[in-house]
Every structure is written in C-alpha cells, then in structure tokens.
C-alpha cells in the first residue's frame, strides 16, 4: 500500500486518522497488515490484504476476512486488536451488493486484461475512450488528486495516472484484485475496496472524480452522485457516465431479458454470453447488427455482453434527469456528451462516403437509440 493514501482517508466510524501497521510483504512487494484508527475511544481497524485496504462490512468480505483473521491472529493481538472488533455493519442494499460482488467480481477476474491487451479493446483504444467518457483532458488531471469511482480492472486508473498526482481507484468486488495486479507498479495509483455510499475518503479531499458505467448499478445513482460530490474540493469536478434510456421497445425487451439473466448462475451467464456473441457475429455478416441494436443490446465483445446482462440492477437515465441532479446540488454543468455519435471500434474504413453514410444513419436513429449519458459538473 502506498503511504500517501493516508493523507486522504479516515476511519469510517469516527472520522479519525488511520495508521498503517504492516504484518508482512511478499516477493512482489504486496503487503498485508491493518489500518488502525488513532482515536483512543474508537480503535477500529481495517484489513490491508495484498496491498489493498478493505473498507467493507464483514459480511461482504466474509471469506477474505476469516482467512486474514486466522492467519494474522497473533499480529492482531500484538496490536491489541480483537478480530471481532471489526464491526462495520451493512445496510438495506446489502443483498444487492452481495450479488454485485459475485457477478462483477467474476467478470473482472475473468476479463482482467480487458482494456489492456485485448485485440480490439486494448490500451491504445481505451485512451480515447477514457478521455471521452470522463470528459477529462490531460490538463484537467495535471497535479490533481483523482478518484476512479468503480475502477473495475483499473484500466482507466492507468490513463488518469499519466497526468494526475495521485489516483485512487475504488471498487466493491474482486475487481480490486485485477486492478491492483494491473496498477500496483504505478507509484501514484492506489486501489481500495469500498462502497461508494460509504467511502473512507476525507471530505473535500479530491480535485476530480469520474465514474464510468458504474452508478446505475448501485441501486440509487442519484444518491451515489450526492455522496461522491461531498468528497470534492471547491472547484473540483465530477463526471458521471450512465446508461441512457432507449425507445420503449428497447426498454421492454431489455427488462424482459434481464429479468432472466439476473437470476442466472455464473455458469449459465457464461453460456448466455457465448450465444449472444455468436448472434452478434451472424448479425454483422448480414448487416443487421445496427438495426437489431435499436431493440436489443447485442454488444461486440463477450465482456461487454456479460457486463450488460449480469448486473443485478441497471437503471437507465436521461440528460435532463442528470442535469437536474446537479442543479439541485447547485453544481453548474461544465460539459456533456449530449449529441455525440460514436461509431465504435468495429467500423474500420477509409471510405469517406461510407463514413458519412453511417453517420447520417446514426443521426436519424439517434432519438430512439440507447445513448449513454455523460455529464461533468463543478463544485462551487
């Protein structure tokens, strides 16, 4: 764990400062230890497992917590810490969070290199995606403290770190393992496991926050936005990128399919993903993929398909709705992607006429397509 993180985090219980006690370090430099609250009346502690601080209720990280407590029982006693004193409690969304951890945890371990060295969705491709979806350019990040809220496998942390002073990536599930594996050699990136609704970050500690394709899976994207905004400094910015609301036929079929997929086991979801990907390939060959995507989501990569249909909850939003959230927070909107048309990675042509034709068709169908909602706002 990078010690600079201590400047930005606090005890979840009493908001006291935290101190790192290291138990051991493995050959790759990853540490195991605890973060201990320095408030004498509190003394809460939080495990650091493989250099990732864990700020979740015990029930959400039951296996990791049990293994850690057993392995380091003697060290905990030397620090005058009782294993049972780790008492973070859950909330009314705990069941949703458990399923989210299960499905997305599997996803980011299975697709741990998506966005890094995938044949199409590779590191170079993801640079443009990051800047478009975060609405942040290199100058916006320069010498800043940045939060990736829902970092997945850490691919966007990588690009933020190119210019930012410090980047903190947080995720709810086992994606933190992949994110840490992919970024732990970057001195200015630190991954933590935590809950967007209850982050251990100090108020007004961040210059910029981006959350790309995450908040619609939380159960309350609006409240998540409010919570994140509290961590911003004055003149700090937050960008949220959410699923957009499609036409009524699209929304009907999407809800119908997801009603089944969200109840599937991981094994069945994998089978479903493979079948949908085969369907995608067939539709591409007969030039019907764009038309079908007006009514059913059929993504161009197995990871994207799994991600879409495995999420236990996925709310769809509009620009007017999200702008209202920021208006209520008295945060002016600086920039959006409203009206931006993205061709996608599979369209590769030097034929200008073909590109113009594709863009013209997309402009016609834009009002009924499910367009993502991306909004960047500033804290006064």
């Amino acid at each position: 764990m990078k010690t600079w993180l201590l400047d930005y985090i606090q005890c979840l219980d009493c908001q006291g400062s935290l101190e790192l006690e290291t138990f051991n370090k493995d050959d790759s430099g990853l540490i195991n230890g605890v973060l201990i609250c320095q408030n004498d009346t509190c003394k809460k502690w939080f495990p650091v497992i493989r250099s990732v601080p864990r700020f979740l209720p015990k029930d959400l990280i039951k296996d990791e917590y049990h293994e850690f407590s057993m392995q380091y029982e003697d060290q905990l006693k030397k620090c005058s810490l009782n294993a049972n004193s780790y008492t973070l409690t859950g909330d009314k969304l705990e069941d949703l969070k458990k399923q989210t951890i299960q499905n997305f945890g599997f996803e980011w371990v299975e697709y741990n290199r998506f966005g890094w060295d995938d044949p199409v969705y590779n590191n170079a491709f993801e640079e443009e995606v990051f800047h478009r979806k975060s609405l942040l350019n290199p100058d916006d990040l320069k010498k800043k403290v940045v939060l990736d809220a829902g970092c997945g496998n850490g691919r966007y942390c990588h690009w933020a770190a190119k210019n930012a002073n410090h980047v903190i990536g947080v995720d709810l599930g086992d994606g933190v393992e992949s994110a840490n594996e992919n970024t732990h050699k970057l001195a200015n990136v630190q991954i933590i496991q935590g809950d967007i609704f209850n982050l251990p970050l100090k108020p007004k500690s961040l210059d910029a926050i981006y959350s790309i394709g995450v908040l619609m899976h939380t159960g309350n994207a609006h409240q998540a936005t409010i919570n994140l905004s509290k961590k911003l400094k004055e003149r700090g910015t937050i960008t949220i990128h959410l699923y957009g609301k499609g036409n009524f036929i699209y929304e009907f079929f999407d809800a119908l399919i997801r009603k089944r997929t969200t109840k599937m086991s991981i094994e069945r979801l994998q089978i479903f993903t493979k079948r949908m990907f085969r369907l995608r390939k067939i539709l591409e060959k007969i030039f019907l993929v764009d038309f079908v995507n007006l009514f059913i989501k059929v993504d161009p990569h197995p990871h994207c398909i799994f991600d879409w249909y495995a999420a236990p909850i996925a709310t769809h939003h509009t620009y007017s709705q999200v702008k209202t959230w920021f208006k209520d927070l008295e945060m002016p909107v600086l920039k959006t992607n409203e009206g931006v048309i993205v061709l996608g990675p599979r369209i590769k042509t030097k034929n200008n006429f073909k590109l113009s034709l594709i863009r013209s068709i997309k402009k016609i169908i834009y009002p009924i397509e499910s367009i993502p909602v991306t909004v960047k706002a500033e804290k006064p």
Side-chain angles (χ1 to χ4, degrees):
M1 190 193 100
K2 284 84 170 182
T3 54
W4 56 255
L5 180 67
L6 296 172
D7 294 335
Y8 307 111
I9 58 175
Q10 62 184 9
C11 175
L12 283 174
D13 198 55
C14 73
Q15 290 72 58
S17 60
L18 298 172
E19 185 175 286
L20 175 64
E21 180 71 28
T22 301
F23 293 161
N24 63 24
K25 182 183 290 188
D26 67 18
D27 293 338
S28 60
L30 301 180
I31 71 162
N32 294 291
V34 287
L35 289 165
I36 306 171
C37 179
Q38 296 305 289
N39 186 339
D40 290 335
T41 62
C42 178
K43 286 297 180 184
K44 290 292 189 299
W45 62 274
F46 308 91
V48 178
I49 304 173
R50 293 179 293 279
S51 286
V52 178
R54 317 285 170 149
F55 294 97
L56 289 179
K58 188 161 55 177
D59 287 346
L60 291 182
I61 53 170
K62 191 176 295 182
D63 293 340
E64 293 91 340
Y65 169 80
H66 178 72
E67 183 180 335
F68 180 87
S69 299
M70 295 293 290
Q71 185 174 353
Y72 298 107
E73 184 178 4
D74 291 340
Q75 288 93 327
L76 288 170
K77 286 179 180 178
K78 286 179 182 178
C79 295
S80 301
L81 300 174
N82 187 327
N84 294 323
S85 68
Y86 182 71
T87 56
L88 285 180
T89 56
D91 55 31
K92 62 182 180 180
L93 293 174
E94 186 167 307
D95 288 342
L96 170 64
K97 291 172 185 176
K98 285 180 180 178
Q99 191 178 357
T100 300
I101 288 172
Q102 173 186 288
N103 288 6
F104 282 145
F106 169 83
E107 173 186 336
W108 288 121
V109 172
E110 177 74 8
Y111 301 101
N112 66 320
R113 295 298 292 175
F114 178 86
W116 295 89
D117 45 27
D118 184 86
V120 177
Y121 293 87
N122 51 41
N123 208 252
F125 175 79
E126 289 294 316
E127 180 180 13
E128 186 276 329
V129 174
F130 166 68
H131 291 299
R132 171 165 47 84
K133 291 184 178 181
S134 69
L135 295 175
L136 295 167
N137 60 47
D139 286 339
D140 294 328
L141 296 164
K142 194 171 292 183
K143 298 182 180 179
K144 299 294 178 64
V145 180
V146 181
L147 175 69
D148 183 337
C151 64
N153 68 357
R155 66 196 192 279
Y156 297 139
C157 290
H158 166 83
W159 286 111
K162 292 287 184 180
N163 297 281
N165 187 31
H166 291 139
V167 178
I168 302 167
V170 61
D171 209 274
L172 185 67
D174 291 342
V176 295
E177 306 296 343
S178 296
N180 193 51
E181 181 181 340
N182 290 329
T183 65
H184 78 274
K185 292 182 180 179
L186 299 175
N188 62 337
V189 176
Q190 175 62 53
I191 306 299
I192 66 176
Q193 187 172 19
D195 183 353
I196 283 175
F197 290 110
N198 191 25
L199 288 173
L201 299 169
K202 296 176 182 177
K204 302 180 180 180
S205 60
L206 303 171
D207 297 299
I209 299 171
Y210 61 85
S211 183
I212 299 175
V214 174
L215 301 190
M216 63 275 180
H217 299 314
T218 62
N220 193 334
H222 184 195
Q223 187 60 49
T225 302
I226 294 171
N227 286 16
L228 288 172
S229 300
K230 293 176 183 178
K231 306 299 181 182
L232 284 172
K233 300 176 183 177
E234 291 182 8
R235 305 301 299 273
T237 65
I238 178 171
T239 304
I240 60 174
H241 176 87
L242 306 167
Y243 290 167
K245 189 172 288 187
N247 64 80
F248 73 95
I249 300 176
Y250 176 95
E251 292 292 329
F252 172 79
F253 280 117
D254 189 64
L256 189 66
I257 296 171
R258 281 180 38 78
K259 189 175 181 180
R260 295 192 63 183
T261 59
T262 53
K263 296 176 182 177
M264 290 180 180
S265 65
I266 296 294
E267 291 75 16
R268 289 185 64 199
L269 276 167
Q270 287 179 284
I271 294 170
F272 173 83
T273 297
K274 290 176 182 177
R275 288 174 177 172
M276 288 293 278
F277 186 60
R278 284 200 294 267
L279 172 62
R280 168 80 187 205
K281 290 300 182 184
I282 293 169
L283 292 171
E284 286 179 0
K285 288 179 180 178
I286 58 177
F287 306 104
L288 284 177
V289 69
D290 285 332
F291 177 76
V292 171
N293 261 309
L294 292 175
F295 309 107
I296 299 175
K297 189 73 169 178
V298 190
D299 272 312
H301 193 285
H303 164 260
C304 301
I305 295 171
F306 186 94
D307 181 85
W308 185 272
Y309 289 107
I313 189 169
T315 51
H316 296 180
H317 302 274
T318 64
Y319 272 103
S320 60
Q321 179 188 35
V322 175
K323 287 177 182 178
T324 299
W325 296 352
F326 286 119
K327 183 179 179 181
D328 292 343
L329 288 169
E330 299 181 339
M331 295 179 64
V333 170
L334 300 181
K335 193 175 181 181
T336 76
N337 277 340
E338 195 167 9
V340 174
I341 297 170
V342 180
L343 294 179
R346 66 183 182 79
I347 297 176
K348 297 177 181 178
T349 177
K350 294 181 180 179
N351 188 317
N352 290 331
F353 174 76
K354 185 176 180 181
L355 283 174
S356 298
L357 180 62
I358 292 170
R359 289 184 185 277
S360 297
I361 293 171
K362 279 190 168 285
K363 284 181 180 178
I364 294 171
I365 66 176
Y366 174 83
I368 59 173
E369 220 178 356
S370 176
I371 302 297
V373 173
T374 311
V375 180
K376 178 184 177 182
E378 181 181 67
K379 188 169 186 177

